Amino acid sequence: MARVKMTKTKIDSIYWYKQGKEKKFAYRYKYYDSLGKRREKSKQNFNTIEQAERALIDVKAAILDGNNSYVENDNLTVAQLNEIYIEDAKVNWKPTTARNHEYIMENYVLNKIGRHKIKNVTTLILQREIFDPLIKQGLTEGTLISIYRRISAVFNFAFKNEMLNKKRINTPNLKNATQGVKREAIPVEGIDKILQIIRTKYKISHYTCICMLVLTGMRIGELRALKWEDVDFEGKFLHITETRDRFGLRDTKTKNSKRKFPMNEGIKKVLIDYKVWYDDKMERYGFRNPEGYVIVNYAGNPVGERFLKRIIDLVCEREKIDYFTPHYLRHTYVSIQLSNNVPITTVAALIGDTPETVYKTYAHSFEKDEIEASNLMDQIVVLDSFSD
């Protein structure tokens, strides 16, 4: 392609040229970058000399302000920015964070605006090209918020690193989005009914899982990672230090999630009953569980990521019980504690979360409060031996 012939105008660094029969304008501006290297910034296709001059003024202002990065990344696309962001952030990410970011960006963002220059992306563009179509597809508000958070993280990274001269996007309008299924706490009488049904009709591994989640508020990944070495019957504590998902064993979700959970009599009773069955199973299948995970299936294998959800789905369908997931049991635990006036900070310490997450407040928690709160479950949830 022949190079366009540029003709100087009376304004320094502004040129005009012919595009067909049209007269167009451009700027070509030379400057030194932060390393003292000579560079040139140029842009064409302005319809008037005033447009070219205004754009040049913006470039000069950014350079005078020391914002060379913004100037040098003027043509950076969303896809390119995302690659830079991942490279910078991945050293601090857990596998699930990396997986979620890459899945969201590939499936919902880059296929829509990946080729857009980051300087041209606005809230309106996000609304029209990403969120409005996804709302029509029926994605829930929670999913859409997750998508926006990923986009926002990438663009905030660009702003903080001076690839953008200002924040470009705000929260989209999601008022027409479908509301997701709200995770509700299950009433105490509902918990008693569920435990009774599973205890009398299903397997001891299923019953133990449900009991442990109800009595501790643990996340399902934390329960799957629990090993017998983490169970201190003498000291009456569970040491929750890891989680396990499809990527294997790893650190808990947050630093707060590593905790020593007081073992009440209900937890102890359930685990002792279960261990009789477990020890018998391991005599035949111990080679399948060399790590000593507590929860195994009837073939002696450590349970998979969706083990309990499949059982719950089956129980809900067969027994005509209102739908719930393992995470509902965590909500139930928190609800029971708070409704019985256990301090929010104590509840947060027990479930391995922050007080802000539980209820936007913070104070110190004491181990005696945690023990009393754990023992409270003995008074509320009535347990019978699995063999009864």
Side-chain angles (χ1 to χ4, degrees), residues 240-258:
I240 301 170
T241 60
E242 295 175 302
T243 189
R244 192 161 65 90
D245 56 21
R246 70 187 66 178
F247 297 101
L249 197 66
R250 58 183 176 82
D251 286 342
T252 51
K253 185 176 182 180
T254 66
K255 290 181 179 179
N256 290 328
S257 298
K258 289 190 176 183

Side-chain angles (χ1 to χ4, degrees), residues 32-34 59-72 161-162:
Y32 290 95
D33 64 17
S34 56
V59 171
K60 287 182 176 180
I63 293 172
L64 287 172
D65 289 340
N67 194 359
N68 286 11
S69 180
Y70 164 67
V71 175
E72 291 159 14
N161 287 278
E162 298 182 340

Side-chain angles (χ1 to χ4, degrees), residues 72-213:
E72 291 159 14
N73 288 285
D74 188 47
N75 292 317
L76 199 66
T77 66
V78 175
Q80 291 169 335
L81 172 61
N82 183 57
E83 290 179 4
I84 297 170
Y85 171 73
I86 291 174
E87 188 65 28
D88 180 79
K90 68 181 182 182
V91 294
N92 298 315
W93 278 350
K94 293 184 177 180
T96 49
T97 305
R99 178 195 66 184
N100 290 338
H101 179 84
E102 291 172 6
Y103 179 85
I104 286 173
M105 295 301 290
E106 288 294 334
N107 288 277
Y108 300 118
V109 180
L110 299 182
N111 58 345
K112 301 291 186 181
I113 63 167
R115 295 183 180 180
H116 286 41
K117 293 180 180 179
I118 61 173
K119 67 177 183 180
N120 296 331
V121 176
T122 63
T123 303
L124 182 60
I125 287 176
L126 293 184
Q127 189 74 47
R128 289 179 175 176
E129 299 195 24
I130 295 178
F131 291 100
D132 284 346
L134 294 178
I135 288 172
K136 288 181 180 179
Q137 290 178 29
L139 269 68
T140 65
E141 182 180 10
T143 300
L144 296 173
I145 289 173
S146 296
I147 294 170
Y148 172 70
R149 285 174 179 166
R150 289 290 98 210
I151 299 172
S152 180
V154 172
F155 274 81
N156 284 340
F157 170 81
F159 176 70
K160 289 177 181 178
N161 287 278
E162 298 182 340
M163 298 173 187
L164 289 171
N165 62 350
K166 63 180 180 179
K167 291 187 177 181
R168 303 288 303 171
I169 60 174
N170 293 305
T171 307
N173 181 356
L174 305 178
K175 67 179 182 179
N176 293 323
T178 302
Q179 296 298 310
V181 177
K182 190 176 181 181
R183 289 170 174 167
E184 299 285 357
I186 303 171
V188 172
E189 58 272 18
I191 288 293
D192 287 339
K193 179 181 177 181
I194 290 167
L195 290 173
Q196 176 69 5
I197 288 172
I198 295 178
R199 184 181 68 84
T200 55
K201 294 186 178 182
Y202 295 85
K203 297 177 179 180
I204 192 169
S205 54
H206 307 153
Y207 179 69
T208 303
C209 279
I210 296 291
C211 286
M212 291 296 290
L213 295 179

Side-chain angles (χ1 to χ4, degrees), residues 3 20 76 81 115 132 141 158 170 195 209 248 264 267 279 294 309 311 314 330 333 345 354 366 370 373 378 388:
R3 186 172 180 177
L76 199 66
L81 172 61
R115 295 183 180 180
D132 284 346
E141 182 180 10
N170 293 305
L195 290 173
C209 279
N264 61 31
I267 297 171
D279 288 342
V294 172
K309 186 178 185 306
I311 298 304
L314 179 63
R330 182 173 169 86
Y333 180 86
T345 49
T354 63
F366 300 95
E370 296 169 20
D378 284 335
D388 290 351

Side-chain angles (χ1 to χ4, degrees), residues 250-317:
R250 58 183 176 82
D251 286 342
T252 51
K253 185 176 182 180
T254 66
K255 290 181 179 179
N256 290 328
S257 298
K258 289 190 176 183
R259 59 201 187 275
K260 189 170 70 170
F261 190 97
M263 188 191 304
N264 61 31
E265 288 303 314
I267 297 171
K268 186 175 180 179
K269 175 182 175 61
V270 167
L271 286 177
I272 287 176
D273 285 351
Y274 170 78
K275 198 169 190 309
V276 174
W277 172 87
Y278 171 91
D279 288 342
D280 178 68
K281 186 67 63 177
M282 288 301 103
E283 284 186 9
R284 290 172 289 170
Y285 301 119
F287 64 93
R288 293 175 178 169
N289 183 30
E291 300 89 351
Y293 290 113
V294 172
I295 305 300
V296 298
N297 60 25
Y298 266 63
N301 293 307
V303 296
E305 190 173 24
R306 297 181 60 81
F307 165 80
L308 189 55
K309 186 178 185 306
R310 287 197 298 268
I311 298 304
I312 290 175
D313 289 347
L314 179 63
V315 171
C316 289
E317 183 179 351

Side-chain angles (χ1 to χ4, degrees), residues 319-372:
E319 312 298 337
K320 309 303 179 186
I321 294 173
D322 290 341
Y323 173 79
F324 70 97
T325 71
H327 209 73
Y328 278 50
L329 304 179
R330 182 173 169 86
H331 283 256
T332 300
Y333 180 86
V334 172
S335 177
I336 290 174
Q337 298 292 340
L338 294 180
S339 66
N340 283 274
N341 300 316
V342 176
I344 292 170
T345 49
T346 303
V347 177
L350 285 165
I351 66 170
D353 229 321
T354 63
E356 291 84 356
T357 301
V358 178
Y359 192 53
K360 297 181 180 179
T361 189
Y362 179 80
H364 291 290
S365 176
F366 300 95
E367 187 175 276
K368 65 177 183 179
D369 295 326
E370 296 169 20
I371 293 172
E372 290 174 5

